[in-house]
Amino acid sequence: MRLFVSEGAPGSLPVLAAAGRVRGRAELLISTVGPEECVVPFLTQPKVPVLQLDSGNYLFSTTAICRKQNL
């Protein structure tokens, strides 16, 4: 899984806290991107935080990202 966050983006702090709890239980790459950087190819507006799953799907909801990381 790959987590994209941006400094100052709403929702980044809770997903980073959840990422800290998942360390060692799952492979998670954390990437810090600029607020205007588009990390999801099919979106015209940048959106972070976003979790890219191993399947290639994306989660955009902060709550869903935190739940997925706690599994």
Side-chain angles (χ1 to χ4, degrees):
M1 294 185 293
R2 187 169 180 188
L3 176 64
F4 296 94
V5 294
S6 179
E7 283 187 30
S12 289
L13 186 58
V15 298
L16 286 173
R21 291 191 304 265
V22 78
R23 295 268 177 178
R25 290 187 292 152
E27 188 174 327
L28 178 66
L29 176 65
I30 300 174
S31 299
T32 303
V33 296
E36 296 301 317
E37 189 173 339
C38 190
V39 296
V40 182
F42 54 83
L43 291 180
T44 57
Q45 297 285 329
K47 174 102 171 109
V48 286
V50 62
L51 179 66
Q52 182 180 18
L53 304 175
D54 295 332
S55 65
N57 293 327
Y58 294 90
L59 294 178
F60 299 99
S61 164
T62 301
T63 304
I65 292 170
C66 291
R67 281 188 172 175
K68 181 66 177 174
Q69 291 182 41
N70 285 326
L71 295 178

